[in-house]
Amino acid sequence: MQALQNKEAFMYRINHGTNRISKLQQVRFADLGFSERNHLQEWLANQPDALGEDLLIIQKEFDGFDDTKERLDLLAIDKAGGLVIIENKLDDSGRNVVWQSLKYASYCSTLSQQKIADIFQRYLDKHQPGQDAKTLICEFLGKEDFDDVVLNPGMDQRIIMVAAEFRKEVTSTVLWLLKHRVLLKCFKATPFQDGNDLFLTVEQLIPLPEAEELMIGISEKEVEEQSLERGQANRHKLRTDFWHQTLEALEQAKVKLYGNVGPSKDHWLNAGAGIGGVHYAMIFNRDEVRVNFVLSRTLKEQNKMLFDVLASRAGEIDQSFGGPLSWRRMDDKKVSIIEYSQTFDGHNRESWPAMIAWLVEHIQRLENTFDTQIPHLRAALR
């Protein structure tokens, strides 16, 4: 996503008599003698809804951070009880405003409910003596009792940045952070002059208000997809490691069945049985491992016919294997499977030695058992 470019703002005066509009002059805060602390900060502290929502300002020039003398411009609570860090710049956002704001958000992430009430109370004692912080917070959030209030939940502290102009490196970084679910907004504050009259517009620049809900939806989808991708990558790594160790164990046991097979990211590992579409398989799942003899030729009818040939000797085959196999004809599927399984905590690496030993033993038993049946299957296919 490309960074948004700051566009020149316009404001017009409407002349009712002439039914015309005239452009007002856009000016710089510095040219008007305004400062961040004494003007822009004060305007927003006393009119926070200029930022497009109901906010409760709880501190100005907040410096209550351990081991640092840094001060954030305005600290607020939103209607969800979340903390909002508001950083103000005048005519230029500067290069470091994003980093500065992120630091403040990280500092504020540890503030407890009682600490927030204390911060607000100090602000009230200085600016509105006689007011009670907990009472005002309850009124703002629509709660009867402060014990019912939840402040600063989780790690989703929000950031609002206000400036007349935002540098490209700032807007680019903000857009990247938004895609990663860091909750930021940029507002463009523009002063205008018409004679002795001064005007101010405060416009949400990022994300654009009409696109904000869409961006939230896209972000949630991206987070879900990223989570799935990370989970899939972890599973692939887990399986590859497991099969690598299993193949090493088979080689040490001098089992040649998987001699030409490499580790896989899949939960199965196949080896040919000497007939096209017929193979042995080792299966690695979260809660079990299995060894399979699989009939998966192109034609379903052939698989069922071969299964029936083997099933007619099921007693003999089970005895040869050394235990009762699970015979799955699966009439609704193309393939048929004969399998044997054992329960394990598969995703616990401490279980792997026992799982691998089980697979090494039982894939040999499966091969020895069905290798004697291959001539019968070939004869049935002729």
Side-chain angles (χ1 to χ4, degrees):
M1 185 182 296
Q2 295 182 341
L4 298 178
Q5 298 297 314
N6 290 313
K7 297 180 180 180
E8 185 178 358
F10 299 102
M11 178 177 283
Y12 296 86
R13 179 184 291 279
I14 300 173
N15 188 315
H16 291 284
T18 62
N19 196 28
R20 296 291 186 272
I21 58 174
S22 57
K23 185 186 296 185
L24 302 187
Q25 180 185 1
Q26 181 179 336
V27 291
R28 290 170 52 85
F29 286 113
D31 295 337
L32 297 171
F34 290 149
S35 68
E36 292 173 15
R37 184 173 184 179
N38 296 325
H39 295 94
L40 184 57
Q41 180 175 291
E42 285 298 310
W43 300 339
L44 295 175
N46 289 280
Q47 194 73 43
D49 61 357
L51 299 174
E53 61 180 297
D54 289 333
L55 295 170
L56 180 64
I57 303 297
I58 62 171
Q59 192 55 272
K60 294 188 294 188
E61 297 290 322
F62 179 58
D63 61 354
F65 307 127
D66 294 336
D67 302 323
T68 175
K69 295 182 179 179
E70 294 176 295
R71 297 169 177 262
L72 67 83
D73 293 337
L74 294 171
L75 184 61
I77 298 171
D78 64 20
K79 281 293 188 179
L83 287 184
V84 183
I85 290 84
I86 304 171
E87 273 301 293
N88 307 310
K89 304 297 179 185
L90 284 182
D91 295 309
D92 189 317
S93 65
R95 292 186 176 88
N96 299 319
V97 63
V98 177
W99 168 238
Q100 188 177 29
S101 300
L102 289 173
K103 284 193 298 181
Y104 294 154
S106 72
Y107 299 156
C108 290
S109 68
T110 63
L111 293 177
S112 66
Q113 185 154 311
Q114 184 58 53
K115 182 70 171 178
I116 293 168
D118 293 342
I119 291 168
F120 189 25
Q121 190 62 59
R122 291 198 297 273
Y123 175 78
L124 292 172
D125 292 344
K126 182 176 180 179
H127 299 282
Q128 302 175 38
Q131 298 272 27
D132 179 68
K134 292 183 178 180
T135 300
L136 292 182
I137 291 173
C138 288
E139 291 177 357
F140 178 73
L141 297 177
K143 300 293 185 181
E144 293 290 332
D145 192 283
F146 190 70
D147 290 338
D148 298 327
V149 168
V150 177
L151 296 177
N152 200 22
M155 298 298 291
D156 288 332
Q157 293 72 34
R158 297 169 53 208
I159 297 170
I160 293 178
M161 295 182 287
V162 185
E165 296 291 338
F166 286 91
R167 298 192 183 199
K168 182 177 180 179
E169 56 262 48
V170 173
T171 56
S172 176
T173 304
V174 167
L175 288 168
W176 185 87
L177 288 167
L178 277 171
K179 289 191 67 177
H180 290 78
R181 290 185 64 79
V182 179
L183 306 177
L184 295 102
K185 289 184 180 181
C186 293
F187 283 84
K188 182 175 182 179
T190 309
F192 294 88
Q193 186 171 25
D194 184 32
N196 293 326
D197 295 331
L198 297 178
F199 304 88
L200 179 73
T201 62
V202 182
E203 176 188 9
Q204 184 173 328
L205 182 67
I206 301 174
L208 294 174
E210 57 269 24
E212 187 170 358
E213 185 174 343
L214 175 62
M215 288 185 68
I216 291 172
I218 291 173
S219 177
E220 290 175 346
K221 180 175 181 291
E222 288 176 342
V223 167
E224 181 180 343
E225 290 173 348
Q226 289 168 5
S227 177
L228 290 173
E229 288 172 1
R230 285 192 294 270
Q232 187 179 61
N234 291 336
R235 289 193 299 275
H236 289 174
K237 175 68 165 56
L238 194 77
R239 292 166 182 166
T240 302
D241 290 348
F242 179 82
W243 291 130
H244 181 78
Q245 294 182 35
T246 301
L247 290 171
E248 284 187 345
L250 287 169
E251 184 178 3
Q252 291 171 7
K254 304 197 182 305
V255 177
K256 298 180 180 180
L257 180 62
Y258 280 86
N260 296 321
V261 178
S264 169
K265 65 178 189 254
D266 297 311
H267 73 283
W268 45 265
L269 207 62
N270 293 341
I275 298 176
V278 179
H279 62 265
Y280 297 96
M282 295 186 294
I283 309 296
F284 168 48
N285 286 331
R286 179 187 296 272
D287 57 358
E288 68 171 6
V289 287
R290 297 200 310 267
V291 290
N292 292 356
F293 187 73
V294 184
L295 306 169
S296 59
R297 290 176 64 82
T298 303
L299 297 178
K300 176 180 177 180
E301 293 76 11
Q302 287 188 349
N303 295 323
K304 304 313 169 188
M305 180 268 292
L306 293 177
F307 180 89
D308 292 339
V309 168
L310 294 171
S312 68
R313 297 180 175 87
E316 170 193 334
I317 291 172
D318 285 350
Q319 184 176 10
S320 173
F321 180 76
L325 294 163
S326 176
W327 294 78
R328 302 174 59 200
R329 194 175 194 272
M330 298 191 295
D331 293 335
D332 58 331
K333 307 290 185 183
K334 184 175 81 170
V335 303
S336 291
I337 298 173
I338 304 161
E339 66 183 23
Y340 195 73
S341 65
Q342 179 64 45
T343 299
F344 283 101
D345 182 5
H347 286 190
N348 180 359
R349 288 176 180 261
E350 293 181 1
S351 303
W352 286 9
M355 296 167 64
I356 291 170
W358 188 94
L359 283 172
V360 170
E361 176 188 349
H362 288 85
I363 198 64
Q364 290 183 81
R365 287 166 56 177
L366 196 74
E367 181 188 15
N368 291 337
T369 297
F370 283 94
D371 187 57
T372 62
Q373 302 300 319
I374 296 300
H376 299 295
L377 301 182
R378 287 201 180 104
L381 289 171
R382 284 198 287 270

